[in-house]
Amino acid sequence: MTDCEECGFSYDLSLAPRVATLTRGHARAYADLLGAEPSELRRRASPQVWSPLEYACHVRDVLLVQRERVLAARRLDTPVASPMGRDERVEHDGYARQQPADVARQLQDAALMFTDVLDRLSPADWERTLVYSYPEPAERSLRWVAVHTLHELRHHLLDMGRHPERPQ
């Protein structure tokens, strides 16, 4: 994966060392959006499209899962990253019932946990790899994992902004 046609994101691996700083900024943007009326944040535009709250919960969980993947790649040689079950989590973790203020805090905490791990990577660590299942199974560097995580953050901010009842 090199570009996202839908959001215009380019997978520029030279961004990897800046992902921590960019992630913290995006986490603040999510927290700001989650300050809107809870009923609006829970509303789906259609049954197939997540609500803004569900997108925020997903991003929180992505940050936690990606942190664990980076840590695994540092301690193991080319571990296999299990799929996170993104669609199942919406129901299994009750995303729509969570409190927006709690999710905002948790998302910022998850961002800090993820970025702390990135900030500790040495130049050699950035080249460590894992087998990532998306978009198809492939060996990926931690640079790619960091940039892919940044894509998730940016893409889903756009998803939240496209929502008809977008929080202002």
Side-chain angles (χ1 to χ4, degrees):
M1 180 172 225
T2 57
D3 294 305
C4 177
E5 287 183 28
E6 187 177 347
C7 75
F9 185 85
S10 290
Y11 276 67
D12 177 358
L13 298 187
S14 70
L15 280 175
R18 295 183 33 228
V19 166
T21 300
L22 296 168
T23 295
R24 288 187 284 269
H26 286 326
R28 285 188 295 276
Y30 277 96
D32 290 345
L33 289 171
L34 288 167
E37 170 60 39
S39 63
E40 297 299 319
L41 293 168
R42 288 187 173 88
R43 187 172 298 137
R44 284 183 167 201
S46 71
Q48 303 80 20
V49 177
W50 291 346
S51 70
L53 179 59
E54 290 166 326
Y55 278 117
C57 289
H58 169 68
V59 169
R60 174 204 56 207
D61 289 354
V62 163
L63 290 165
L64 294 171
V65 167
Q66 296 296 72
R67 175 183 182 265
E68 291 306 314
R69 289 171 174 169
V70 170
L71 290 169
R74 287 196 66 195
R75 72 177 181 274
L76 303 169
D77 290 330
T78 319
V80 175
S82 299
M84 70 178 280
R86 62 169 280 172
D87 293 318
E88 297 84 358
R89 284 175 184 255
V90 176
E91 180 184 335
H92 294 173
D93 197 25
Y95 283 1
R97 296 176 152 225
Q98 295 184 28
Q99 296 303 311
D102 293 341
V103 175
R105 186 188 69 254
Q106 293 161 359
L107 196 149
Q108 289 184 89
D109 287 345
L112 290 173
M113 294 168 68
F114 174 67
T115 61
D116 184 55
V117 169
L118 293 185
D119 286 340
R120 295 173 182 279
L121 295 177
S122 71
D125 289 334
W126 283 107
E127 304 312 319
R128 292 193 60 84
T129 61
L130 69 161
V131 175
Y132 206 91
S133 62
Y134 179 85
E136 66 274 328
E139 192 170 317
R140 305 284 188 179
S141 70
L142 291 185
R143 285 182 185 282
W144 185 91
V145 172
V147 170
H148 179 65
T149 305
L150 180 61
H151 171 242
E152 286 277 320
L153 287 158
R154 288 189 180 173
H155 192 106
H156 293 313
L157 268 176
L158 289 174
D159 288 332
M160 286 177 73
R162 286 192 293 248
H163 197 272
E165 294 84 19
R166 188 183 131 228
Q168 299 298 319

